Each structure stands twice: as structure tokens, then as C-alpha cells.
Amino acid sequence: MLEILLEEKARRPETEARDFCKLLYQSEFGGGHLPGDAAVQLARLREECAVCGAGNDVPFERVGGGLLRLNLRALPALKLRKETVCGLFACACAPRGSVTGLEKKLDILRANAARLELDEETVAREVDAWRAAGYPALSHSGVYRALYHPAYRLVPEATGRFLALFQAIDALLERKGRARVAIDGNSGAGKSTLGALLAAVYGGNLYHMDDFFLPPERKTTARLAEPGGNVDWERFRDEVLSRLGAPFSYRPWRCHAEALDAPVAVSPQAVEIVEGVYSLHPALRDAYDLRVFLAIEPEAQRERIRIRSGEALLRRFQEKWIPLENAYFARLGVRECCQLVF
């Protein structure tokens, strides 16, 4: 957090205590409020972009707390749809943080006032008055607005890492009016998290390959010897991929119950996302407009799985599932068929 405060000081030397408090508020609470009606937010964004125009601003600035500021003057060069920016902003406005977390960050501000070239007594008065008011959302100081003309939206930190993916989806929406995206890759690489973010930003449908593993009666020796054979790609092809673009329903497979669950009804959306290992089986991959691979180093993979699933499941991953996945990747050229690799 101190690094982020120092970055802001270096970029904007006249930043005042109130502006640092605003940055800390954003790092803890995000937008601090729900974004409201989507059409109103889009109209506001268009109006603000028309006023601020284009510039040479860096696209993203760190805020902390898993968020970035997306500078609107950099938006024309980024080639992101304004609807996408509004979707990203809505994600940044999701409830988060705590007063305790904010006050820990304010302690950092107090302790480093001198390094930030701020008067310690002024910082103390600003923070005390803000606390007494219940820490409401702040506007930038008059000095900050006059010198730096802030124009930005808060967005998830993943926006920077996966910028090329958002750009590719936006280009597909502009060109084809749709984007059908598959996210394959190593266990623990973040496929489910990324898929959920895309679905939230675009209002798209999200399908999980974990819902299409083979039932026990189909787990023959011959089938399991096939690369990617432990997923029911035939059922996924027939129940989902062949029906995209029209209303339909499908039944997820629940491994713990070893049974199909109740039908899930689906309405067609402009963005359709499939996430999970085996989503890019050769029998499926031609159905997608965009193929994405997420990779992770083995040591980081083990640690993520351990944290997520515990030691017992980690052993099963290492002994069974990861070797099957790696064989599928290598023998079927999964990574090589992707337009984007992260």
C-alpha cells in the first residue's frame, strides 16, 4: 500500500491528504456504492469521455485491494467498448472491505506523511474529521481536480492482466455481434475465476466442464486411455454447443451424487463462456470464436490446489488428474490451438 501511495505522489506531486484518503477508500471499498442503472452509467461514461477526450495517460494505475484506475483519456487507444468499461466498473463496485481494513491503511498514511511530503497535523485532522463523519465516500480536492483533471473508472485488477482478452471479445462483438469463448488450461490457473469475471462484465452465460465428467458406467479402460476421454464431450457438444443461439436446457453432472442434477434453463446471450479443462477437446474447439489457455507453474499450482482443496485432494490431483490433464494438453495440442495464452 505504501508503494501505491508513493506512486501516486510521484505521478501527481501536489496530491493532498484528502486525495490519498480517497485512494485508500477505493482500495478498501471499491466504488463504495452500487453503480445504479446500466443505461445511466453508460450515458455518463460517454459524456465524460466526450469531455475529457483522448490523451497519453497511462491506461492503468494501481489502487490496491485488487483494483485499478482505468484512465478514460487512454480508452480510445485501448479499443475497449464503453459497455465493457461499465461492466468492469460494476464489478469494482461490488460490496467489499471493512472499516478495520481502511483504518489499517490510514495508519500507513499517518506513519508516512513525511515521505509523502504532507504535514502530519493536517493529515491527522483530515482523518479524524473523516472518521467522525463515518468515512463517507470522498471527492478529490480542488487542487487535485484543477491540476490533474481526473477522469477514470475503477476496474478489477484482472483487467490489466487480461486486457488482450477483453479487447478480443470486444472486437468479436463489434464484428460478429457475438463471442463464444473457451478457457482451458492447468488446474489452479484461474479458469473459473476468469470465467466468472467475463460473465459478470458481459452478462454472458457461463458453462463449466466439471458439469460434464463421465458417469461411472462409461469409464471403460479404453475410454480413459483416450486423451481427454474422462470428460463427456459428446454430451456437452450435443446438449450445449449445438444449441447455442436459442433457448435450451442441460443437466449438470454432480460427481458427489454420481447423478445428473435438475435441468438448467439457458437464454441466448451475446457472450457465451465455457471454462474448464477439456473445453478445447478437438471435437469441440471449432465451435468457439476465441480459444484461451491459462498456464501456471507446477509449484504455484500445487500451492493453489492445497489452499483451495486441502492436502487429500492435492494428492489426488498430483497422482491422477494433473497427469491426465498434461497428457491431454501435450497429445492434442491444446495450448497451441489457442489465440491467447496467459
Side-chain angles (χ1 to χ4, degrees):
M1 196 71 248
L2 177 58
E3 286 181 3
I4 292 171
L5 294 175
L6 291 170
E7 287 171 4
E8 176 69 349
K9 176 65 180 179
R11 277 190 302 264
R12 300 179 180 92
E14 302 304 318
T15 298
E16 297 189 345
R18 179 184 184 88
D19 305 300
F20 285 117
C21 287
K22 180 177 178 70
L23 187 152
L24 295 177
Y25 180 95
Q26 291 175 336
S27 77
E28 187 65 23
F29 297 118
H33 53 79
L34 295 176
D37 182 81
V40 172
Q41 286 298 320
L42 180 58
R44 288 176 179 169
L45 178 61
R46 286 173 171 161
E47 181 180 350
E48 192 169 351
C49 288
V51 171
C52 74
N56 296 320
D57 301 43
V58 297
F60 302 108
E61 297 175 9
R62 292 197 300 168
V63 171
L67 297 176
L68 304 170
R69 287 175 177 170
L70 167 56
N71 288 314
L72 298 185
R73 279 181 284 272
L75 196 54
L78 292 182
K79 301 186 184 304
L80 290 177
R81 298 162 67 246
K82 294 180 176 64
E83 293 87 348
T84 301
V85 175
C86 285
L88 290 162
F89 175 62
C91 292
C93 289
R96 65 177 70 223
S98 67
V99 169
T100 299
L102 175 62
E103 291 187 336
K104 289 180 178 178
K105 293 174 181 179
L106 288 170
D107 288 342
I108 296 171
L109 178 62
R110 287 177 183 268
N112 292 278
R115 290 188 66 180
L116 296 166
E117 300 179 26
L118 299 172
D119 178 73
E120 293 182 17
E121 292 185 2
T122 300
V123 172
R125 285 196 302 271
E126 185 86 35
V127 171
D128 289 344
W130 192 28
R131 180 188 296 112
Y135 296 120
L138 297 172
S139 58
H140 280 294
S141 68
V143 168
Y144 192 99
R145 291 197 303 272
L147 291 177
Y148 306 122
H149 309 290
Y152 59 80
R153 289 293 185 275
L154 293 177
V155 297
E157 199 169 48
T159 310
R161 180 186 176 199
F162 296 109
L163 177 61
L165 174 55
F166 288 106
Q167 290 170 326
I169 293 174
D170 281 7
L172 283 166
L173 290 172
E174 293 289 341
R175 187 172 72 253
K176 300 181 67 172
R178 75 169 205 206
R180 295 175 181 174
V181 184
I183 307 170
D184 208 322
N186 301 112
S187 290
K191 299 181 296 298
S192 298
T193 301
L194 178 57
L197 176 61
L198 295 179
V201 169
Y202 291 101
N205 291 320
L206 177 61
Y207 310 94
H208 306 282
M209 290 306 294
D210 284 357
D211 292 340
F212 291 87
F213 279 114
L214 277 182
E217 64 270 17
R218 294 191 58 199
K219 291 183 178 179
T220 65
T221 301
R223 175 66 181 228
L224 295 180
E226 299 175 11
N230 56 324
V231 68
D232 197 342
W233 58 262
E234 297 96 335
R235 189 168 73 86
F236 183 71
R237 177 196 61 197
D238 296 341
E239 288 192 15
V240 176
L241 288 185
S242 67
R243 300 179 177 182
L244 293 180
F248 68 94
S249 65
Y250 68 94
R251 298 184 68 185
W253 172 260
R254 301 306 182 204
C255 293
H256 63 279
E258 292 195 343
L260 291 170
D261 208 341
V264 175
V266 177
S267 298
Q269 301 295 333
V271 178
E272 305 276 3
I273 307 135
V274 181
E275 71 80 22
V277 184
Y278 309 114
S279 59
L280 286 172
H281 188 285
L284 309 177
R285 62 183 62 161
D286 288 343
Y288 307 115
D289 300 308
L290 186 60
R291 299 178 297 276
V292 181
F293 192 93
L294 298 191
I296 188 171
E297 293 295 329
E299 183 177 346
Q301 181 185 42
R302 288 191 295 272
E303 184 60 21
R304 281 196 184 179
I305 295 171
R306 179 184 291 110
I307 292 170
R308 181 183 70 189
S309 304
E311 291 289 344
L313 273 181
L314 172 61
R315 285 193 293 273
R316 292 191 68 183
F317 269 94
Q318 290 180 301
E319 294 168 3
K320 181 179 180 181
W321 295 322
I322 291 176
L324 285 172
E325 293 169 7
N326 289 340
Y328 154 74
F329 299 144
R331 292 176 62 183
L332 299 182
V334 177
R335 179 171 177 149
E336 292 75 15
C337 85
C338 292
Q339 294 105 320
L340 293 172
V341 176
F342 297 95

